Amino acid sequence: MELSGAKILIESLKQEGVEYIFGVNGGAAMPIFDALYDHPDVKLIMMRHEQGASHAADGYARATGKVGVTLATSGPGATNLVTGIATAYMDSIPMVAITGQVFTHLMGNDAFQECDVIGVTRPVCKHSYLIKSGDEVAEVIAEAFHIASTGRPGPVVVDFAKDAQIHESLFRYPEKVNIRSYKPKVEGHPRQIAKAVELIHNAERPILYAGGGVTLSDASEELRELAIKTGIPITVTLMGLGAFPETHPLAMEMPGMHGSCCANYAFTDSDLVVAIGARFDDRVTGDLTKFAPNAKKIHIDIDASCIGKNVPIDVPIVGDAKRVLAEMNKLVHRVDIEPWMRQINEWKAQYPFEYEQNGDNIMPQYVIEQIYDLYSDAIVVGDVGQHQMWAAQYFKFTEPRQWLNSGGLGTMGFSLPAAIGAQLGCPDKTVVNINGDGSYIMTIQELVPAISMKLPLKIFIINNMYLGMVRQWQELFHQKRYAAVDYHDNPDFAQLADAFGATGIRVDRIEDVRPALEKAKAINDGPVVIDFIVDEEENVFPMVPAGAGLGDVIRGLA
Amino acid sequence: MAEERHIFSVLVENRFGVLARIAGLFSGRGFNIDSLNVAETDDPGVSHMTIVTHGDAQIIEQIYKHLNKLIDVIKVIDLTVENHVERELVLIKVYAEPQRRGEILQIVEIFRAHTVDVGPDSLIIEVTGDEGKLKAVVDLLRPYGIRELARTGKIAIMRGAPR
């Protein structure tokens, strides 16, 4: 039977097991939305801005491990997706972003709502396709899903000309995808693995350094086995939090700019760093010349171009973390590093994450502690800024995919739409959105679909009336010249939530923090927004200033 | 680290947008392209690119890895470390008043170049060869006055049995 390109697209998505598409309608994508109109299996989630749509698809992918799908029209619809595509690209999130495109005969003519989407998105996606004819659709979609979800995952853009959406052709979905130029290497080289194991067995001060790649390759079981079998202490990056339980005695918590002193000192003093699905990001390493200067380095990564990019590597292992760790686990045994562990435990005891109470103010860290106490099993979606760091420090994550945040691109406004995607992907889980006052207002419009769908999101705003992280840098490095960070003119977020149709609660006294969080727990017929009015000038510590070495961490201002 | 010149031979899918992806890979990371040649191979579905670039060892390694990472790239060979043949073709339009033509044609003959067009006061000369030969010809013709010059950029393939 012949189907229109738009209908072939939907049938293809069904073949890929797509449950939800997050989108915003518009002229050049109308045939696709029309094909979705009465389709029983693929549900369209009507977001209020394309950026929100892309983050929602991303949040869905992060929470479930499946490919997120977002859909927008040509021109401005497509350009609004770009931030979300770049966010997914930086964190290697599997996503397929579909954009309508003007009729092929109009392309290149500066047509209404025309934009060269392939050109605009080229540097921020894993791959892209332009569909100019209906008979290309099935094959392109099969390839797009294959590329998005295999190797180092990432977003794939599919730009779909309107005439190709209308044009009818025969629908036949490819049974297998075979791209001769794309064969990700998943098995680690046995000789490299043997070399790595030998280094591990001979190290005196080894550490494991795991990143988001462990979660992406579903390797947290294997990671746990490696750490526990060898007895080597482990630090997990912002992107990997939960891949190893932070409550475990071997856990040193997050490394880097706002990481634990223990993890940063351990890097500096170590004689072996085993990096697994982590990319030696500048926020982790600090000054490269002072980074783990005495350590040999093993790097396991599926993306060969990540290895040796920032830091010279002694034993590179290109492969899928799950497979490589499983092979390593067959060979490793417990290492005798008792003096090193004594040192690690001393650092841990001496330098825990801590803060001082300032008068009667609600301390932001206290709010996070209370959230953790009441919602320890929840999926937590963080935004970007000080609250993100406090959440990473004070919430103890124990499961992979429990902590979702924009780690690489650092996209403010990510979290509310991402929480919507996560909640739809995991309907039986409680989803907590920890947001900032600056980031919340960037995508606040996405409260609307959350309310329409009665999603029981717990939206907790750590409101210090500033772009807090920038203000902190201004305080420390710009003589307190608070340029363009004062957000005291923001609206009352609790009243605004009520106006949208959600439940809004404003909390400005310490004693109301816990009761409000408990109340939120009982509201399950829609989102609840709690606006926590916190200490305005609290800073995130510890802090490794930009350009300093990890050993030069500032523990606090006092 | 010392900068080195490298020649990459790259087989790519002959498809819309591939050249832009390769160019973007270089421009986005601040890597340099000294010359780039691209054309269809014997298989119309596959194009061959010869990319001449330079950088320190770490940059060259990154270029190699990033080329491999592009979905449309089938194969990458760093020819610099292989036994290979490289050639470039240059077209030179040189001033040639009748009384000086003889001298110029002698140069053409010595270097086994060709005269491909003759005008009232100029000649177009075609030279093929490696970098040294092309430089020698251009240097010898420069005193006569070069009006225009166009070169293909290097093309190169590995010696020996097919892969």
Side-chain angles (χ1 to χ4, degrees):
Chain A
M1 193 178 64
E2 300 229 317
L3 296 176
S4 71
K7 282 193 170 143
I8 292 179
L9 170 69
I10 308 307
E11 291 305 320
S12 302
L13 295 177
K14 202 174 136 187
Q15 292 289 323
E16 294 292 339
V18 172
E19 307 169 89
Y20 297 108
I21 301 180
F22 302 89
V24 179
N25 206 343
M30 281 176 62
I32 305 173
F33 283 87
D34 185 71
L36 280 168
Y37 183 63
D38 47 11
H39 202 286
D41 298 317
V42 183
K43 284 186 266 312
L44 176 83
I45 307 300
M46 230 168 83
M47 303 299 285
R48 287 304 187 271
H49 187 287
E50 291 86 354
Q51 184 191 347
S54 59
H55 292 325
D58 178 323
Y60 173 87
R62 288 179 203 244
T64 62
K66 297 186 228 169
V67 178
V69 181
T70 184
L71 170 62
T73 187
S74 64
T79 55
N80 279 343
L81 283 184
V82 172
T83 301
I85 294 168
T87 302
Y89 185 59
M90 283 290 269
D91 291 343
S92 310
I93 304 304
M95 180 196 280
V96 171
I98 302 160
T99 51
Q101 181 55 278
V102 300
F103 285 90
T104 49
H105 71 269
L106 293 173
M107 282 177 69
N109 290 1
D110 297 337
F112 177 65
Q113 292 193 329
E114 188 197 351
C115 168
D116 172 10
V117 174
I118 299 292
V120 166
T121 57
R122 190 179 300 115
V124 296
C125 67
K126 184 171 174 184
H127 198 53
S128 49
Y129 291 92
L130 171 64
I131 299 179
K132 290 164 89 176
S133 161
D135 51 20
E136 303 167 32
V137 177
E139 199 180 333
V140 165
I141 295 301
E143 287 191 11
F145 274 77
H146 176 67
I147 291 171
S149 59
T150 54
R152 180 180 183 175
V156 176
V157 173
V158 177
D159 197 27
F160 197 172
K162 193 167 181 181
D163 42 335
Q165 297 171 27
I166 298 164
H167 171 247
E168 291 195 346
S169 57
L170 201 64
F171 173 61
R172 230 188 53 231
Y173 203 67
E175 277 172 26
K176 224 176 139 238
V177 176
N178 183 16
I179 306 170
R180 64 175 163 182
S181 55
Y182 176 74
K183 309 269 185 225
K185 183 173 168 353
V186 291
E187 304 289 353
H189 196 291
R191 206 167 52 230
Q192 295 296 90
I193 291 175
K195 264 196 227 169
V197 169
E198 197 190 327
L199 282 183
I200 288 172
H201 287 161
N202 291 324
E204 287 174 11
R205 300 182 306 282
I207 63 168
L208 304 180
Y209 153 50
V214 172
T215 303
L216 292 168
S217 91
D218 191 23
S220 73
E221 280 308 316
E222 289 76 5
L223 177 69
R224 285 162 203 225
E225 192 183 332
L226 178 68
I228 291 164
K229 222 169 155 183
T230 57
I232 297 176
I234 173 167
T235 179
V236 178
T237 69
L238 182 68
M239 282 311 299
L241 288 180
F244 188 83
E246 290 183 71
T247 47
H248 192 280
L250 287 170
M252 298 186 288
E253 308 202 77
M254 179 173 81
M257 181 171 273
H258 293 298
S260 75
C261 292
C262 176
N264 289 339
Y265 291 153
F267 262 124
T268 308
D269 282 9
S270 65
D271 68 351
L272 178 68
V273 171
V274 186
I276 308 146
R279 57 187 176 88
F280 296 90
D281 175 82
D282 58 285
R283 284 292 194 264
V284 165
T285 62
D287 181 356
L288 282 173
T289 60
K290 296 178 186 165
F291 175 73
N294 305 312
K296 289 221 183 295
K297 281 137 197 134
I298 299 166
H299 192 177
I300 302 165
D301 206 296
I302 196 152
D303 179 359
S305 74
C306 258
I307 299 181
K309 183 176 63 178
N310 302 330
V311 172
I313 299 299
D314 301 280
V315 181
I317 304 177
V318 179
D320 180 58
K322 190 179 180 74
R323 308 261 190 118
V324 174
L325 291 180
E327 288 307 311
M328 281 173 82
N329 286 338
K330 290 182 195 161
L331 303 172
V332 291
H333 57 67
R334 193 163 188 83
V335 291
D336 180 18
I337 48 167
E338 209 263 319
W340 177 235
M341 281 316 296
R342 220 176 311 127
Q343 174 68 77
I344 299 279
N345 287 326
E346 214 169 279
W347 282 328
K348 278 210 295 202
Q350 209 172 343
Y351 310 117
F353 290 125
E354 58 188 353
Y355 62 95
E356 269 175 44
Q357 178 61 40
N358 180 18
D360 291 338
N361 291 348
I362 301 176
M363 301 312 287
Q365 300 94 329
Y366 172 76
V367 180
I368 307 289
E369 285 174 335
Q370 294 303 310
I371 295 172
Y372 174 51
D373 200 43
L374 286 166
Y375 295 91
S376 62
D377 293 336
I379 294 174
V380 179
V381 189
D383 217 285
V384 171
Q386 286 182 311
H387 71 274
Q388 173 192 27
M389 293 298 117
W390 285 317
Q393 292 177 341
Y394 289 89
F395 198 108
K396 306 300 171 197
F397 297 97
T398 53
E399 293 300 326
R401 305 193 184 282
Q402 191 190 358
W403 162 246
L404 318 180
N405 82 137
S406 166
L409 197 67
T411 306
M412 287 176 64
F414 166 81
S415 66
L416 173 56
I420 292 173
Q423 183 73 82
L424 286 168
C426 305
D428 301 329
K429 290 268 192 182
T430 302
V431 175
V432 167
N433 172 210
I434 300 182
N435 221 324
D437 46 315
S439 45
Y440 179 58
I441 204 160
M442 283 196 180
T443 49
I444 195 170
Q445 76 283 348
E446 305 307 347
L447 256 186
V448 178
I451 292 163
S452 306
M453 292 184 282
K454 297 188 165 48
L455 298 182
L457 298 180
K458 317 300 176 195
I459 301 164
F460 302 144
I461 305 167
I462 308 298
N463 187 347
N464 55 12
M465 311 271 175
Y466 279 110
L467 279 181
M469 189 57 94
V470 180
R471 188 210 56 75
Q472 173 169 343
W473 283 48
Q474 288 169 334
E475 179 183 339
L476 298 176
F477 312 119
H478 291 259
Q479 300 82 45
K480 291 200 178 190
R481 290 159 55 84
Y482 290 166
V485 292
D486 188 340
Y487 272 39
H488 282 84
D489 54 358
N490 262 345
D492 180 320
F493 288 132
Q495 283 184 26
L496 195 58
D498 287 335
F500 270 91
T503 308
I505 303 170
R506 182 183 168 95
V507 174
D508 51 14
R509 295 186 313 170
I510 300 176
E511 57 270 33
D512 295 337
V513 170
R514 196 171 171 97
L517 287 170
E518 278 166 348
K519 189 176 167 198
K521 215 167 184 180
I523 299 172
N524 283 313
D525 57 349
V528 51
V529 178
I530 309 184
D531 189 14
F532 291 102
I533 310 300
V534 301
D535 189 277
E536 291 188 1
E537 300 201 17
E538 178 64 355
N539 290 325
V540 181
F541 286 113
M543 179 176 192
V544 180
L550 291 185
D552 308 322
V553 52
I554 304 170
R555 287 196 292 270
L557 277 185
Chain B
M1 269 190 277
E3 297 232 326
E4 290 171 9
R5 199 196 65 142
H6 280 247
I7 305 174
F8 287 103
S9 164
V10 188
L11 289 179
V12 300
E13 296 288 351
N14 186 5
R15 220 177 253 162
F16 153 88
V18 176
L19 180 59
R21 288 183 211 277
I22 302 261
L25 181 167
F26 280 82
S27 65
R29 292 177 180 77
F31 301 155
N32 295 298
I33 297 179
D34 297 334
S35 81
L36 169 69
N37 175 287
V38 50
E40 234 173 69
T41 62
D42 194 34
D43 173 354
V46 178
S47 292
H48 182 266
M49 287 190 185
T50 307
I51 304 172
V52 181
T53 182
H54 65 271
D56 63 32
Q58 201 247 354
I59 286 178
I60 296 296
E61 185 186 324
Q62 281 292 306
I63 292 172
Y64 177 78
K65 286 174 168 176
H66 278 286
L67 282 170
N68 264 311
K69 192 171 160 180
L70 288 176
I71 307 286
D72 285 331
V73 169
I74 302 166
K75 192 170 181 86
V76 185
I77 304 167
D78 183 351
L79 286 177
T80 324
V81 297
E82 307 280 354
N83 193 2
H84 69 278
V85 179
E86 52 181 87
R87 287 289 180 273
E88 186 169 6
L89 183 147
V90 62
L91 293 174
I92 309 159
K93 190 188 286 174
V94 62
Y95 277 109
E97 284 141 29
Q99 64 271 29
R100 307 195 74 177
R101 250 177 219 184
E103 295 168 34
I104 294 172
L105 290 173
Q106 255 182 354
I107 294 170
V108 168
E109 200 171 320
I110 292 166
F111 282 92
R112 276 179 287 161
H114 302 282
T115 311
V116 291
D117 187 55
V118 182
D121 59 353
S122 69
L123 296 172
I124 298 179
I125 293 160
E126 173 199 317
V127 200
T128 306
D130 60 18
E131 214 170 301
K133 176 177 169 184
L134 298 191
K135 187 174 182 307
V137 175
V138 172
D139 285 349
L140 283 169
L141 291 178
R142 188 166 294 119
Y144 299 96
I146 292 173
R147 295 174 69 173
E148 256 180 82
L149 184 149
R151 47 207 308 169
T152 57
K154 215 162 282 263
I155 57 169
I157 51 177
M158 213 154 81
R159 286 182 196 271
R163 295 181 294 274

